[in-house]
Amino acid sequence: MKARSRTARARLPIAGTALLATAAMIATVAAGCGDGAGAAPTITTTARAGVAPVPPEEGAYFGAWVPPEESAKPSGSPTESPSGSPSESPPGSPSGDEAGKPGMAPIARFEGELGRRLDVVHSYRGWTSDFPAGLEKSVVDGNRYLLLTWGGADTRKIVQGEYDALIQRRARAVKDLGKPIFLRWSRNMDAAPARKQVHSPADFIAAWKHLRRIFEQERVQNVAWVWCPTARGFGGADGAGVFYPGDDHVDWICADARTGGSDYRDLSEDVKSFMEWARERPKPIMIAEFGVPRSYGERRAEWFREAAKTLQDPQVKAVVYFNSDEQAENARDKRRAYSVTGDKHAVSALRELATTPYFNPRNLPVTSGG
């Protein structure tokens, strides 16, 4: 999937010439959803309603990362090193015209198991990759939001302008896509593998603002900027929050929350410190790459049901499941295998979560699934 996107797509109507940083949308959220949620702040974002993704007034979008066919695996995928066995595709053949579009067959099969269409489809691209390509175009053409995770680069080189031409090309290509997308740049910037290119929180923040400045100069208004460290990174005194660029430079705050290991641990434990930090920020929350490992066995279904309670929080506005085994070291490594494929109890529990009205704010049709 390396095709260069050079053809301008039909653009959404864009009123006015205000830049992203000055355009604002304020959504009032309902309080008291979910156990122990507490009072959420009034949510604000610099993204423009109808142009870039903004939070639903009630509930949270539901999405997923579903690995592509192995022959079409994109560059910049979430695997940090060569992985073991890729996730198997769900059984059965996809139906409908959308399944025949580039990259959509695995998505269609997964949606068939869930019994509903995804609100958000996740895609990964490396720093130098050309995007949007086939999958990304298919996603936005099908009335789904695209969550595009763009790999990071050396923050100091970014600030020095060494990558300005590359950033401008990507900004123009995203603008030409003409549909609302979530852009999650350099996620997990707080994790150890990123230290060499991130350098420091100050360097990261400067690079983030440099990217946004170029996108604004190119008048890209269809992007909602998602800042996303790891959930576990909020355990210390300052934690991952030291990498936060500030409310004026972020549209959505996010945390990756894959539960690992063999000992049972609820999602609420993994996101507790992050949620406490986020409660002080007037931003919608996205929980991305959340997942429960196969090592939990029969307790996976219980985990999903507890997760559904945790995620029905008035500030949580999007949740994205990591339906993949590609982080596993080998086929026997169940501690980092998160796909629900082939686990009928886990599939049923995830379907129960995904079809709960809170996670279906657009009131999409729901079928029996399976």
Side-chain angles (χ1 to χ4, degrees):
M1 296 176 65
K2 297 182 179 179
R4 188 182 299 269
S5 176
R6 296 188 179 186
T7 304
R9 313 291 289 183
R11 300 179 184 174
L12 295 175
I14 298 178
T17 59
L19 298 179
L20 269 173
T22 58
M25 191 286 296
I26 299 177
T28 301
V29 296
C33 300
D35 296 338
T42 297
I43 291 175
T44 66
T45 175
T46 64
R48 297 181 60 185
V51 180
V54 295
E57 291 187 8
E58 296 182 2
Y61 300 127
F62 179 83
W65 158 244
V66 182
E69 306 290 1
E70 186 64 14
S71 60
K73 190 172 182 179
S75 58
S77 72
T79 305
E80 301 294 345
S81 59
S83 65
S85 302
S87 301
E88 297 177 359
S89 297
S93 300
S95 59
D97 295 337
E98 288 193 315
K101 295 180 179 180
M104 289 301 293
I107 304 297
R109 288 194 290 269
F110 184 68
E111 290 179 336
E113 285 198 315
L114 289 182
R116 59 157 290 181
R117 176 179 295 188
L118 296 172
D119 294 302
V120 180
V121 173
H122 200 170
S123 175
Y124 293 84
R125 293 290 169 183
W127 173 246
T128 60
S129 299
D130 289 331
F131 62 78
L135 172 63
E136 289 89 7
K137 294 176 182 178
S138 298
V139 168
V140 298
D141 283 346
N143 193 31
R144 300 168 181 85
Y145 286 124
L146 171 66
L147 169 59
L148 199 155
T149 290
W150 187 13
D154 189 287
T155 57
R156 293 176 181 173
K157 291 182 179 180
I158 289 174
V159 174
Q160 291 165 2
E162 292 189 27
Y163 295 115
D164 282 4
L166 182 153
I167 299 168
Q168 288 169 345
R169 289 196 300 271
R170 298 278 59 79
R172 292 165 186 167
V174 168
K175 180 180 179 180
D176 287 344
L177 187 64
K179 297 292 181 67
I181 76 167
F182 295 99
L183 184 59
R184 193 174 69 134
W185 177 71
S186 191
R187 101 279 193 210
N188 299 175
M189 79 298 293
D190 61 306
R195 288 174 186 166
K196 186 175 181 180
Q197 67 179 17
V198 168
H199 298 295
S200 72
D203 288 311
F204 174 83
I205 291 170
W208 177 281
K209 292 180 178 179
H210 189 84
L211 258 72
R212 283 211 61 166
R213 188 177 305 115
I214 292 176
F215 270 65
E216 290 170 2
Q217 289 170 351
E218 296 296 330
R219 298 188 180 276
V220 183
Q221 297 182 318
N222 57 316
V223 166
W225 290 80
V226 182
W227 175 80
C228 199
T230 63
R232 68 176 65 92
F234 288 86
D238 294 319
V242 297
F243 293 89
Y244 188 58
D247 292 342
D248 292 341
H249 302 280
V250 172
D251 297 313
W252 291 65
I253 55 177
C254 167
D256 281 354
R258 291 197 299 275
T259 299
S262 301
D263 295 333
Y264 184 89
R265 180 182 174 90
D266 278 337
L267 178 65
S268 61
E269 298 178 66
D270 288 322
V271 302
K272 182 177 183 294
S273 295
F274 164 69
M275 294 295 291
E276 290 173 351
W277 179 90
R279 195 69 79 207
E280 303 299 320
R281 277 83 195 169
K283 296 293 174 181
I285 290 173
M286 175 184 292
I287 302 296
E289 299 187 20
F290 82 100
V292 55
R294 290 180 180 268
S295 58
Y296 282 18
E298 293 181 357
R299 298 197 71 182
R300 294 181 90 192
E302 174 188 348
W303 188 95
F304 277 121
R305 294 184 179 109
E306 291 303 314
K309 298 176 185 177
T310 297
L311 295 172
Q312 289 185 61
D313 180 286
Q315 198 175 351
V316 173
K317 292 298 179 180
V319 298
V320 184
Y321 190 71
F322 188 80
N323 193 61
S324 173
D325 295 342
E326 62 199 276
Q327 295 288 335
E329 294 180 356
N330 52 56
R332 293 179 295 178
D333 181 10
K334 296 184 178 181
R335 297 173 304 165
R336 287 177 286 269
Y338 300 96
S339 170
V340 297
T341 301
D343 184 340
K344 64 179 182 180
H345 296 296
V347 169
S348 178
L350 181 57
R351 182 166 62 237
E352 182 181 320
L353 184 155
T355 56
T356 298
Y358 189 87
F359 301 108
N360 188 9
R362 297 192 295 164
N363 196 28
L364 299 174
V366 173
T367 68
S368 59

